[in-house]
Amino acid sequence: GNWSVIDGDDPEYQVENNAGTGYAFTDHRYVNVSVEAKINLDKAYVSDAGIGVMARYTDNGHVYRFFYSKESWKLLKRVGGKTSILAESSNATLETGNEYHVKLVVDGFSLKGYVNGVLQCSGRDTDLVSGNSGLYSYKSKGSFDDVAFSVIDNPIP
């Protein structure tokens, strides 16, 4: 995707991604981590556009994501390029132009996704053990503010 920083009193990451998947992630790999950001979706270019956060990313075929798409929050895993939905909230909203505090906690086999402090999705999985953490966009334009990574353990060398 096309990522940039919006300068000003409160700098934000912005993504303009109308042609595919975009990631922005940490330099280090972690096993257990909390990833959070205030997300504002400006535009969805297709009906299944997505925006959110991710953990244990090793490549496009191996990642956990917590994101909004098609009127629900989803907890997704990709392993070997195959996608599985671990959990999904029903009838959720993400209104264009509004800011949402989104958080993914990956601790051991437990994965939990929160929006504005409310648990939306939870699941358990053993397939991915470590990786980078970061931000995710699929055919959308949006901004990410107050991005934070809370490491529950030390980075993998």
Side-chain angles (χ1 to χ4, degrees), residues 15-37:
V15 62
E16 174 75 32
N17 184 19
N18 61 5
T21 303
Y23 296 111
F25 48 83
T26 58
D27 290 335
H28 298 287
R29 294 172 54 126
Y30 300 99
V31 175
N32 301 315
V33 66
S34 168
V35 183
E36 59 188 295

Side-chain angles (χ1 to χ4, degrees), residues 89-143:
S89 66
S90 60
N91 300 321
T93 60
L94 182 80
E95 295 179 14
T96 302
N98 290 339
E99 190 172 74
Y100 296 83
H101 182 243
V102 177
K103 182 177 182 180
L104 171 62
V105 178
V106 180
D107 190 3
F109 304 137
S110 172
L111 296 96
K112 295 181 180 178
Y114 300 85
V115 178
N116 294 334
V118 177
L119 180 66
Q120 298 291 318
C121 298
S122 65
R124 296 183 60 76
D125 192 73
T126 60
D127 284 330
L128 303 174
V129 295
S130 72
N132 304 84
S133 300
L135 311 175
Y136 161 77
S137 167
Y138 176 72
K139 295 187 179 180
S140 62
K141 178 182 179 183
S143 59

Side-chain angles (χ1 to χ4, degrees), residues 9 36 50 54-55 60 84-85 93 114 121 129 145 150-151 153 157:
D9 293 337
E36 59 188 295
M54 63 179 195
N60 194 32
S84 302
I85 300 294
T93 60
Y114 300 85
C121 298
V129 295
D145 196 11
S150 299
V151 178
D153 61 3

Side-chain angles (χ1 to χ4, degrees), residues 4 6 28 30 33 42 67 71 73 88-89 115 128:
S4 61
I6 303 169
H28 298 287
Y30 300 99
V33 66
D42 294 323
F67 65 105
E71 299 181 356
W73 288 95
E88 184 172 0
S89 66
V115 178
L128 303 174

